[in-house]
Amino acid sequence: MSLLTVTGLHVDYPGGRAVHDVSFALQRGEIFGLVGESGSGKSSVCAALTRVLPVGARAAAQAVRLGDRELTTLSDEEMRRLRATRIGIIPQRPMTSLSPVTPVLRQLRWHTGNADFTELLNQVGLRAVLDRPRDAPHRFSGGQLQRLLILIAALARRPDLLIADEPTTTLDPTVQAQVLHLLLDLRDQLGLSILYVTHDLAVVAQVCDRVGVMYGGRLVETGSTEQIFTAPRHPYTRALLSALPGRAAAGSRLGALVPGPVARRGCPFAPRCPVVLEVCAEHDPQPVLDVRCHHTEGSP
Ligand SMILES: Nc1ncnc2c1ncn2[C@@H]1O[C@H](COP(=O)(O)OP(=O)(O)O)[C@@H](O)[C@H]1O
Ligand SMILES: [Mg+2]
């Protein structure tokens, strides 16, 4: 059974619609990647799901189910409680979420109470937190702190769902790899489901079971990571893959995840699409078998 099912999610800002009719499901124990270039609507989806959109923004959905609960009909107070218990949100900048003067170990205990995290700290390479019980955050590296915050989000309240919005974007590659390992460990050990947002397809390949590709506020293709990488169906997904390092033609700078023009009507990808049809400029394609493309729509 799905842990999270999102059906027909829209998000509007005063400047216009940022998320159009997004639907996907996240299974228990699954890591689902939401991938797309900057501005494609990934953070808006996360903020709408957890109801933390900025003032002036509006979200609407046919349904958002978490386990056996329908979230769209919850009051703000009920939603706040849910955020504090069943949904863990991983902050993007660790330093702003920790007290700068209090020892890290004490802050971990505040949040996790009597939970025994010794073994987990060892496993995720954070023994230093135990070895240096009096050290404040500035004595640890950014990567250690980011992993610690993920641990806090996952352990403190034992959420069913972790939402990680580009948690490694500011980290160097070594630390990024450590964070990704930690997420995989947590999924394996705690059975967490993780919504993992990134603009980096290489990261998706490393950690995600399934992927949703966003362009211009639409989920243009959803599939298993294997299917997305071996048999992409949407022209945008194919363009992304061909621009991955190692796959791009020498000298090609066709931007993987470099923001490009988004059409205001019709298919949002039409201005960049190598196989654009006349109909694409007029009509936004409807999703057919997890792909939003007139080519798929027209096929039997
Ligand atoms: N606070 C905001 N006010 C107005 N428009 C916003 C706001 N946040 C995001 N947007 C717009 O919504 C679109 C999607 O943004 P966002 O969800 O942040 O995308 P991503 O996370 O994929 O980079 C963009 O066009 C952006 O300009
Ligand atoms: Mg974002």
Side-chain angles (χ1 to χ4, degrees), residues 101-169:
V101 291
T102 311
V104 163
L105 184 61
R106 194 178 316 153
Q107 297 192 55
L108 183 62
R109 290 205 198 282
W110 279 345
H111 290 287
T112 57
N114 293 323
D116 182 14
F117 45 74
T118 315
E119 197 187 324
L120 206 53
L121 281 180
N122 276 325
Q123 282 171 6
V124 302
L126 282 176
R127 242 212 96 75
V129 172
L130 295 172
D131 292 344
R132 292 150 47 195
R134 275 185 289 278
D135 280 5
H138 69 272
R139 313 274 301 184
F140 294 88
S141 71
Q144 285 174 317
L145 296 177
Q146 179 64 303
R147 278 181 287 155
L148 189 78
L149 278 167
I150 292 173
L151 211 56
I152 288 174
L155 291 183
R157 299 147 178 152
R158 292 294 177 127
D160 302 314
L161 173 66
L162 262 193
I163 297 182
D165 188 353
E166 312 233 18
T168 64
T169 305

Side-chain angles (χ1 to χ4, degrees), residues 88-102:
I89 300 171
I90 296 174
Q92 224 163 348
R93 285 181 199 79
M95 284 309 274
T96 59
S97 308
L98 291 167
S99 153
V101 291
T102 311

Side-chain angles (χ1 to χ4, degrees), residues 13 18 37-44 54:
Y13 292 102
E37 58 202 36
S38 176
S40 58
K42 307 178 300 294
S43 294
S44 299

